[in-house]
Amino acid sequence: MSAIEEFTWSCSESKRLKTSGTTEKIRLTWESRSYDLDRQTSLPGSLRYKNPNSGYDLVVLGNKAMLFNIKAGVRLADFCQTAEMKFGKLPHLFAGAEPFVQN
């Protein structure tokens, strides 16, 4: 996957993560390591990306993102926002994306 544009997310407790990629597949950089996450079915109005090997699960809402490790059952980062989101814009991942709707 070629890195298109990388976005830095500032989270609570001075944590940071970075994302790049497309709406369907992103590369997450967390604690100096990179992981590819695939888009999953999610609730309306949200996007969800998972990597089953690492256990990383990124949930993106309109106003914030949260990073979980579903293997360990912990939330690693909360209230993550890009610079644009701090000014009320939607996350870049929503651009051109139709969030999944459950049938």
Side-chain angles (χ1 to χ4, degrees):
M1 181 171 75
S2 63
I4 300 168
E5 183 176 0
E6 189 170 70
F7 293 86
T8 300
W9 302 68
S10 299
C11 311
S12 59
E13 300 178 11
S14 300
K15 296 181 181 178
R16 297 169 78 81
L17 59 93
K18 294 182 180 182
T19 58
S20 62
T22 68
T23 302
E24 296 303 317
K25 185 180 190 92
I26 64 169
R27 174 156 291 161
L28 167 73
T29 303
W30 172 252
E31 296 183 336
S32 303
R33 296 189 65 197
S34 294
Y35 307 87
D36 290 332
L37 282 67
D38 293 315
R39 186 171 172 188
Q40 306 290 308
T41 301
S42 60
L43 296 172
S46 68
L47 296 172
R48 186 171 202 164
Y49 299 89
K50 284 186 185 176
N51 178 309
N53 295 326
S54 68
Y56 288 134
D57 181 7
L58 181 68
V59 177
V60 183
L61 306 173
N63 65 337
K64 70 175 184 174
M66 298 159 286
L67 179 63
F68 299 90
N69 184 321
I70 52 178
K71 282 186 171 181
V74 295
R75 185 181 305 200
L76 300 170
D78 193 11
F79 212 82
C80 302
Q81 293 183 315
T82 62
E84 294 80 14
M85 291 171 70
K86 291 178 182 179
F87 293 104
K89 294 187 179 177
L90 284 175
H92 66 280
L93 295 168
F94 280 78
E98 284 296 320
F100 285 114
V101 176
Q102 289 183 326
N103 295 334

